[in-house]
Amino acid sequence: MAELLIEGSRRLEGEIKVQGAKNSVLPILASSIICKDECIIHNCPHISDVKATIKILDYLGCKTRFEGNTLIVNSKEISKNNIPDFLMREMRSSIIFLGSLISVMGSAKLCFPGGCELGPRPIDLHLDGLRQMGLLVNEGHGILECEAATSLRGCNITLSFPSVGATENLLLAAVLAKGNTVITNAAKEPEIIDLADFLSKCGARIKCYGDSTIIVEGVDRLHGAEHTIIPDRIAAITYMSAGAVNAGKLFLKNISKDHISSAVPIFEEAGCIVKFLSEDSLKIEAPSRLYANRLIRTMPYPGFPTDAQAPIMAMNTVSDGTSMFIENIFSNRYKHVDELLRLGADIKVEGKVAIVDGVRRLSGAKVKAMDLRGAAALVVAGLSAEGKTTVTGVNYLDRGYENIETVLCNVGANIKRI
Ligand code: EPZ
């Protein structure tokens, strides 16, 4: 199992080009099978979740070709409607194939994604909405067998929670359904908008309204399209926190100003100067010592993103003062806390609240990543700590960050993959 060996307390300075968004490219690749045509996806990051998705596309009968950061997927020959366990288990978000398989094959057979590192990952909102559209769902022994007796019919669906995955699956089921589908209280993360943009280029008729309503007018078929994935806002925030911990100065290219606007006040409250140099680039300069963020509460977009909670907590472990985190989205997203304590952090967790008392310095140690964003937090903390930090469980990191150690070494970090 690969490990990262980090030599800490090094100031970061330089330019980082941010990768394409993991949480946009995964649903877009899954939706590309609906076109039964060739799709060209640019700015596709080389991460293991994309590799896992490509394995599923290949299994289903698609032809895939990666050229640099451009992925060409041809789903003309798609022939299967099932995803075997071993492929489903590689990545929980494979559930996003449910909606697209229903649209293209009329049926789908896949295993329940099951829990993951963040706690139970139910799909009740996905299935309730799909049943309202006429999908017959058989659940048993961990297997989902779904059949659309006739083609799905559009209807009005209200989500009790703006679930990103449920919104995506309903969108993918609605594009070829008969009639109109109105999704109310839909998620409005930028990745949803990017998926809707891609589907519209493929001929879908989708309107996203700012009040979390999405209206889809079903069409007969979709065709291939060319699309560039939006920048990864979570990767951008992760790199900003890495630069902030050692009074660094970073230039970030290929970011989206709108998508990270909810995080900028957090860095400014911590004493950083954040300046947008253009719509897609920014400069962040950090003070010699950060101030603590008083309160970070994770919310659906455009609130503070849950995926940024762990890296920002790592940043606050060495800030001056006390910060409070409230994790409102997932029930088990503090697994990085125990590992941060090994580095000398002072954190208390009570339910969905975490209190971080900033310490002067962390000290290097051997720590273990247990999920993707927790792994990123350990890298940020390791960069800040005195001495050497070894991070194991790097496979989690590789799920969502493209060459993170190379990116950070290019701006002054000393990180070796062993
Ligand atoms: C997506 O997960 C992202 N993953 C997550 O990013 C992200 O944290 C999350 O959205 C929230 O923004 C991808 O896009 C691949 P949800 P998803 O459905 O779709 C509950 C990362 O680190 N819920 O919005 O699974 C659920 O249990 C990953 O990049 C139900 O109760 O998120 C959770 O508590 C982690 N029933 C909350 O809603 C359902 O049917 C948010 O889940 C569905 C969800």
Side-chain angles (χ1 to χ4, degrees), residues 5-131:
L5 183 57
I6 303 170
E7 183 66 56
S9 316
R10 293 167 66 95
R11 182 174 178 278
L12 302 189
E13 177 154 5
E15 183 175 297
I16 289 178
K17 183 175 180 300
V18 176
Q19 69 188 57
K22 164 179 95 78
N23 292 345
S24 176
V25 70
L26 299 182
I28 283 177
L29 290 179
S31 70
S32 69
I33 64 175
I34 302 175
C35 310
K36 295 188 86 166
D37 199 351
E38 178 172 278
C39 292
I40 301 172
I41 310 297
H42 301 296
N43 201 26
C44 185
H46 286 275
I47 53 179
S48 52
D49 273 7
V50 166
K51 288 194 190 92
T53 302
I54 290 171
K55 279 189 209 163
I56 293 173
L57 293 169
D58 292 344
Y59 173 84
L60 293 173
C62 302
K63 301 244 178 325
T64 55
R65 196 170 77 247
F66 229 143
E67 290 169 4
N69 282 96
T70 294
L71 182 59
I72 297 124
V73 188
N74 194 317
S75 52
K76 271 198 180 76
E77 313 291 323
I78 185 166
S79 58
K80 294 196 184 82
N81 74 339
N82 73 303
I83 300 177
D85 282 25
F86 73 96
L87 288 178
M88 272 302 282
R89 289 186 182 284
E90 257 197 68
M91 186 182 62
R92 187 210 158 274
S93 46
S94 324
I95 192 66
I96 192 56
F97 275 92
L98 176 57
S100 45
L101 279 171
I102 295 295
S103 283
V104 68
M105 304 299 285
S107 63
K109 182 176 175 189
L110 22 104
C111 73
F112 254 85
C116 78
E117 315 83 27
L118 308 181
R121 299 293 287 276
I123 56 169
D124 53 304
L125 299 176
H126 303 232
L127 300 181
D128 293 351
L130 291 168
R131 283 188 172 108

Side-chain angles (χ1 to χ4, degrees), residues 309-315 317 334-347 356 362-363 365 367-368 374 376-382:
Q309 176 255 105
I312 296 295
M313 180 184 287
M315 181 177 93
T317 58
Y334 284 136
K335 292 173 97 165
H336 43 284
V337 168
D338 284 347
E339 300 306 304
L340 290 172
L341 296 178
R342 286 172 187 274
L343 293 165
D346 179 350
I347 308 170
V356 181
L362 296 178
S363 51
V367 288
K368 189 167 176 295
L378 297 179
V379 171
V380 171

Side-chain angles (χ1 to χ4, degrees), residues 154-276:
C155 62
N156 294 348
I157 300 165
T158 297
L159 290 174
S160 57
F161 177 85
S163 153
V164 170
T167 302
E168 290 166 347
N169 258 329
L170 293 173
L171 205 42
L172 298 184
V175 288
L176 300 187
K178 289 271 172 283
N180 283 3
T181 300
V182 180
I183 308 171
T184 309
N185 194 29
K188 49 186 183 181
E189 272 68 3
E191 294 76 26
I192 300 278
I193 307 303
D194 202 28
L195 173 61
D197 285 351
F198 169 70
L199 291 168
S200 302
K201 288 176 186 170
C202 300
R205 293 215 190 106
I206 302 171
K207 286 197 182 62
C208 297
Y209 296 91
D211 63 347
S212 307
T213 302
I214 299 178
I215 298 181
V216 185
E217 184 191 335
V219 294
D220 293 337
R221 60 179 294 281
L222 297 186
H223 51 73
E226 188 160 359
H227 184 76
T228 298
I229 300 293
I230 56 171
D232 193 314
R233 59 197 168 105
I234 307 302
I237 295 169
T238 305
Y239 292 129
M240 290 168 78
S241 56
V245 290
N246 285 334
K249 179 164 104 172
L250 292 178
F251 293 86
L252 263 57
K253 307 276 183 210
N254 191 35
I255 53 126
S256 163
K257 183 175 178 180
D258 293 346
H259 299 168
I260 59 170
S261 52
S262 69
V264 171
I266 300 294
F267 288 101
E268 289 173 337
E269 181 192 28
C272 297
I273 297 167
V274 181
K275 196 169 175 323
F276 286 102

